[in-house]
Amino acid sequence: MKEIMLPYILICWILVKTGIVKWTLRNAVCIVGIGVGIAVMLFTAHRFWSPADLTDSTTVKAPHAVLSPLIGQEVDQVYVDHNQRVKKGDLIYTLRSEDTESQMAGLEAQKKAAEAEILALTHQIRNDQKTLERLTKLGDFSQESQRDDIRTRIETNDAKIAAANAQILSIEAQIATAAWQNERREVRAPFDGQLSITNIVDGTRVGNMHLYNTNKKFVEMRIADQTYRGIEVGQFAEFYVNAYPGEIFRGRVHSVTTGTGEARVSVMNGSQRVRQHVGNNMNNHGRTIVIEFEEPQGYNIPIGATGSGWVSANKPHPMLGFMDIIGAATVRLKAYKAYLSAL
């Protein structure tokens, strides 16, 4: 906000240096008093009606996906490089699958053994049925106990076949699960995005990668708590980032962050120390808002870039709409100062 006072200070300095205004006590009091009045007006308008981020902490962010578990699998081969942009379905890296392949081989062997058992039981049932038919034709010349034993053996083998079929179904389900896990050894991009630093190499057993969704970039901007009731979804906003000094980007308020880190309550049983509560909240934290924007064609606003922004908040009367000039001017002056930040 102080940057807006620079033109006034420059004009007053030129008037005094050129002799148009004499530097007397009366004129000095008038110049300083007018400056203080303008500063108070600018501060009030900035704080309540056209809030700007004076902390220069406005940051470009993007949601990201965590690819594969952090621990428990060994990386076989990495196919990407630092900061590479990838398309949906591109192969990023693969995981070793010896355990999965051995498991699938063992399950296939169990399935074949069960099928062989069913085949043997089927032949046994057929032979027993033929024997039962012969004994039945003999009538009184065969013992009833023999026929009962054969019937019991046939029913027992039928039950064994049913159990073997159930076992095969269970094995097939395990094979399907193992095959699904084997397919997941190929870690592919779930969407179009960009990687950051490739911090894993072939053979590591700890680590994974993050893929940022560059199609869903957003800006997170800090506002003072005094401005909270004046912010609504859909309000006009502008911001700049140091990566594009002097250029202004436009967006809309998506939402207001309701629960900040200071609002968290510990899930551990016990009371919070008063000293801890005061220490964490004695400063004016404020809160943040999310600004959605469409990236202009030909631009690639980097994720993590910082700058400043402002929002056209609600005003007591529509006639005060001109005060948006203050927020817009503040951000533009900061954008021009970004050139000097590189020195």
Side-chain angles (χ1 to χ4, degrees), residues 49-231:
W49 302 322
S50 61
D53 176 22
L54 302 182
T55 62
D56 295 340
S57 59
T58 299
T59 308
V60 179
K61 299 182 177 182
H64 67 274
V66 180
L67 306 177
S68 82
L70 179 64
I71 300 175
Q73 291 179 300
E74 182 178 348
V75 174
D76 183 21
Q77 189 171 357
V78 180
Y79 294 91
V80 293
D81 204 351
H82 303 300
N83 305 314
Q84 182 175 330
R85 300 181 71 90
V86 296
K87 296 291 185 180
K88 181 178 180 180
D90 287 352
L91 183 61
I92 297 178
Y93 60 94
T94 56
L95 304 171
R96 292 194 182 276
S97 60
E98 284 81 358
D99 295 340
T100 305
E101 292 176 352
S102 300
Q103 181 183 6
M104 291 179 64
L107 291 172
E108 288 289 349
Q110 293 180 24
K111 181 179 178 182
K112 290 180 180 179
E115 291 174 346
E117 182 182 0
I118 291 175
L119 182 60
L121 291 172
T122 302
H123 289 308
Q124 182 65 42
I125 290 173
R126 289 176 182 174
N127 292 333
D128 289 340
Q129 287 174 344
K130 292 178 180 179
T131 302
L132 181 61
E133 290 177 0
R134 287 196 296 267
L135 292 175
T136 302
K137 291 179 180 180
L138 291 176
D140 296 337
F141 294 99
S142 63
Q143 295 180 0
E144 185 65 27
S145 59
Q146 291 180 337
R147 294 195 293 269
D148 291 341
D149 291 341
I150 293 176
R151 291 191 188 97
T152 302
R153 191 162 57 193
I154 292 173
E155 292 174 357
T156 301
N157 289 335
D158 284 335
K160 290 181 178 179
I161 289 176
N165 284 323
Q167 184 181 3
I168 289 176
L169 292 176
S170 175
I171 292 172
E172 288 177 346
Q174 295 178 48
I175 291 175
T177 302
W180 176 75
Q181 292 177 348
N182 189 51
E183 290 177 358
R184 289 176 63 83
R185 62 179 290 269
E186 293 185 349
V187 180
R188 296 183 177 273
F191 47 76
D192 296 349
Q194 184 174 9
L195 300 164
S196 57
I197 298 299
T198 303
N199 56 356
I200 59 175
V201 294
D202 303 353
T204 180
R205 288 184 176 271
V206 178
N208 52 22
M209 296 184 69
H210 292 182
L211 176 63
Y212 293 91
N213 191 342
T214 53
N215 294 325
K216 294 185 178 181
K217 293 180 184 177
F218 63 91
V219 170
E220 189 170 6
M221 167 187 157
R222 179 190 177 275
I223 61 170
D225 276 328
Q226 292 86 342
T227 314
Y228 173 73
R229 64 180 180 179
I231 301 296

Side-chain angles (χ1 to χ4, degrees), residues 228-244:
Y228 173 73
R229 64 180 180 179
I231 301 296
E232 293 182 356
V233 175
Q235 288 175 333
F236 177 78
E238 289 183 329
F239 68 94
Y240 89 95
V241 291
N242 290 321
Y244 290 94

